[in-house]
Amino acid sequence: MLPRTIRALLLIGATIAPTHIRANDSTAELATGGLIFTRSPDIEMRSEDLFISTTEIRVQYRFFNHSGRDVVTQVAFPMPDISFGMDSDIAIPTNDPENILGFSTTVNGSPVAAQVERKALLNGIDKTETLKKLNVPLAPRPGQKQDYPSQETWDRLIREGLIEDAPRADGNMTPLWVLKTTYHWQQTFPAGQEISVSHRYLPSVGGTVPMPASAFLDNPSILQIEPSKGINRFCVDQDFLNSMVRSPNSNWQQNFMEYILVTGANWSGPIKEFRLVVDKGAPENLVSFCGQGVRKISPTQFEIRASNFVPGTNISVLILKPERADPAPARDTDRPQSVAGQNCDQLWQQRNSIFKAGGYCFRTPRAIASFGNAGCKYDNIVDVPLSARDRQLVNDIQQVERIKACPR
C-alpha cells in the first residue's frame, strides 16, 4: 500500500504548461444542492488502471458487488475544476458547451448516457442560476468575443464580481467563477458479479509564457514550491532544477495536471490493484510527481503499481517542455524571456506604457497618477491602435502577471 505522503521524482528532459486533470468514480446520492459522495459498503474496487497525459486521460475500473443482493446507486465522476480568471490560462478542447472535455464512459463495453451537473462558483457561492437567467454561458471559450450581453447585463456581471472590469465593446469577457462539472448515472451492480467501467476524456491544458530556468529558480512558487509552508506539490527536487539549468539556451513551458483519486476511498475496502501510467509526451521533456515504486516502461512513460491501495492524496503531475531561446543578446524589452524576469510593478509599468504610447485614456487612479491622460484619444482599450508586436507583448506580460498572481 502506498503511504499517505509519497514522494518521488522523475526527470525526462521537458516542460509542461498549466493543466488540471481531476476525476475518480464515487458512489453518490442526488440531494438538494447537488451530488453528495457517499460510501458504498457492498461494492469493492478490484482494480483501477489510470493513464495520464496532456492529450488524453483514460481510466478503467473493475467493481465487484460482494453482497447477496443487487445494488442500485448513483455513480458520479467529478471532472476538473476550471478557472477562467486572471490567474488561469486554460484551453477548452471541444466546442460542445455541454461536454467541454469530450467525456465518454462505458460499462462492460457498452456506452452509457451520463447526465451532467455543472455549477459556477464564485468564492464558494453558487452563481449558476444567476448566470443562466442572464443567458451567460457557464463555460465561455477563452479569446472568443462575447457581444451578446446587454450593457446592463455586462455592468451587473462586473458589479457582482463575476467578470473582469473591462469595457463591453472590447468583447473579451474574463469570468472569475470556477466551473465544477460532474457526470453521473444510475448503475446496477449485480449481486456477486464484477462489472467493468471505463472513461476517457480530453484534459484541459493551459500554458505559460516560456521562461528561462532563472525565472523558476528566482520564484519557486511558479512550480508551487513554498519551503516556508512545507509545500512542494510535485515533489520537485534539486536534480529537477539542475536539469533545467543544464540547458542554458532553453526556455521552459510549464504544464501541470491533477487527478482526483481520494474519492476512490469511498468504495468498500482498498483498491485491490492500482496502476498509474504517466506519459510526459516527448523524451526531452521533464516530469515530476510524487510516487513510490516508479519505473520507466518506455522513453516517455512511467508506471506505478500498488496492491491494496488506499488513496490519501490526489495525483499531481508537473511536465516541463523545453523551447530553444534566441541565442542573441536579449536587449529589447519586448521579448517574452525578458518580461518573465520582471516583478509585478515592472510588468504593470511596461504594459501600461504601451497603452499610454497608443493614446489610451486611463481610468484607474494609479494609472492616471503614473501616466496622466494628457493627449489621450481612446476611452475604449480595444480601439487603441497597437501593432501586432505590441499586442503580443501585452499578452505575454499579462500571462506572466497571472503566473505571479500580480494584483489587478
Side-chain angles (χ1 to χ4, degrees):
M1 183 180 76
L2 295 179
R4 292 183 64 88
T5 302
I6 53 181
R7 294 182 178 275
L9 180 72
L10 302 178
L11 298 179
I12 26 191
T15 65
I16 70 175
T19 308
H20 295 79
I21 300 175
R22 303 179 181 175
N24 207 323
D25 268 295
S26 182
T27 51
E29 60 184 18
L30 290 174
T32 304
L35 294 168
I36 298 175
F37 302 114
T38 57
R39 292 188 176 275
S40 179
D42 297 324
I43 304 168
E44 69 178 16
M45 188 186 292
R46 284 190 163 176
S47 70
E48 176 172 357
D49 196 327
L50 171 62
F51 174 87
I52 295 178
S53 74
T54 58
T55 58
E56 184 182 40
I57 306 302
R58 300 192 306 266
V59 58
Q60 182 169 359
Y61 310 91
R62 291 187 300 117
F63 295 109
F64 182 74
N65 177 2
H66 54 70
S67 74
R69 59 182 180 83
D70 290 354
V71 174
V72 180
T73 186
Q74 291 288 329
V75 174
F77 192 82
M79 298 300 284
D81 288 354
I82 295 180
S83 300
F84 303 94
M86 281 289 290
D87 59 346
S88 66
D89 185 9
I90 66 163
I92 295 178
T94 78
N95 292 318
D96 184 350
E98 296 301 321
N99 191 7
I100 60 176
L101 300 181
F103 173 84
S104 64
T105 188
T106 63
V107 175
N108 290 336
S110 299
V112 171
Q115 296 178 293
V116 60
E117 179 191 67
R118 298 193 300 167
K119 289 186 176 182
L121 300 183
L122 181 66
N123 299 322
I125 300 174
D126 191 347
K127 294 290 186 177
T128 308
E129 291 306 314
T130 298
L131 294 171
K132 287 182 177 179
K133 289 177 181 177
L134 295 175
N135 198 30
V136 174
L138 300 183
R141 297 188 66 81
Q144 180 176 327
K145 291 193 173 183
Q146 311 289 343
D147 56 0
Y148 51 84
S150 66
Q151 186 65 55
E152 180 182 359
T153 296
W154 193 276
D155 291 342
R156 178 178 172 183
L157 291 171
I158 293 175
R159 266 196 324 272
E160 296 193 17
L162 288 164
I163 64 173
E164 288 289 333
D165 187 354
R168 174 176 174 272
D170 187 357
N172 293 316
M173 177 187 293
T174 304
L176 298 178
W177 62 82
V178 173
L179 179 66
K180 290 184 174 288
T181 302
T182 301
Y183 291 92
H184 59 93
W185 65 95
Q186 191 175 73
Q187 181 64 49
T188 298
F189 295 84
Q193 295 185 34
E194 180 180 282
I195 68 170
S196 173
V197 178
S198 299
H199 308 301
R200 63 176 57 211
Y201 61 94
L202 305 175
S204 172
V205 180
T208 63
V209 178
M211 299 181 185
S214 59
F216 295 96
L217 297 175
D218 292 342
N219 187 7
S221 62
I222 298 175
L223 297 175
Q224 302 191 44
I225 301 172
E226 297 184 57
S228 63
K229 298 180 180 179
I231 296 174
N232 188 355
R233 179 182 175 190
F234 305 105
C235 295
V236 172
D237 67 5
Q238 192 61 48
D239 288 340
F240 183 91
L241 300 176
N242 290 343
S243 296
M244 289 192 290
V245 175
R246 291 190 198 105
S247 301
N249 294 325
S250 292
N251 287 331
W252 297 90
Q253 184 179 346
Q254 176 188 201
N255 284 344
F256 56 87
M257 300 171 279
E258 181 178 3
Y259 185 88
I260 297 176
L261 191 62
V262 292
T263 53
N266 285 354
W267 302 102
S268 174
I271 301 172
K272 299 299 183 183
E273 297 295 334
F274 174 75
R275 178 175 184 254
L276 166 68
V277 172
V278 175
D279 192 326
K280 64 176 180 171
E284 68 272 15
N285 290 352
L286 297 175
V287 62
S288 181
F289 62 93
C290 302
Q292 182 175 333
V294 180
R295 70 185 189 97
K296 188 174 183 178
I297 59 174
S298 84
T300 63
Q301 294 185 354
F302 294 79
E303 178 190 67
I304 293 177
R305 288 180 179 267
S307 298
N308 295 318
F309 175 51
V310 178
T313 60
N314 294 329
I315 298 172
S316 298
V317 178
L318 171 67
I319 299 173
L320 296 180
K321 178 181 177 181
E323 293 188 7
R324 187 164 182 82
D326 186 349
R331 295 179 180 176
D332 296 334
T333 58
D334 57 355
R335 292 182 182 169
Q337 57 262 42
S338 67
V339 302
Q342 295 182 16
N343 61 36
C344 288
D345 287 338
Q346 292 169 328
L347 292 166
W348 181 90
Q349 187 76 24
Q350 184 175 1
R351 173 169 54 81
N352 284 287
S353 294
I354 295 171
F355 285 109
K356 172 64 176 178
Y360 179 56
C361 300
F362 293 101
R363 297 186 299 167
T364 65
R366 179 187 180 189
I368 293 172
S370 297
F371 299 99
N373 278 330
C376 71
K377 302 176 182 178
Y378 306 100
D379 291 320
N380 193 331
I381 201 168
V382 76
D383 295 331
V384 179
L386 299 182
S387 66
R389 192 179 190 185
D390 281 343
R391 181 70 64 185
Q392 182 59 53
L393 177 56
V394 168
N395 290 338
D396 292 340
I397 292 172
Q398 288 175 329
Q399 288 192 55
V400 176
E401 287 178 311
R402 292 169 187 163
I403 295 167
K404 296 188 175 185
C406 295
R408 296 191 296 273

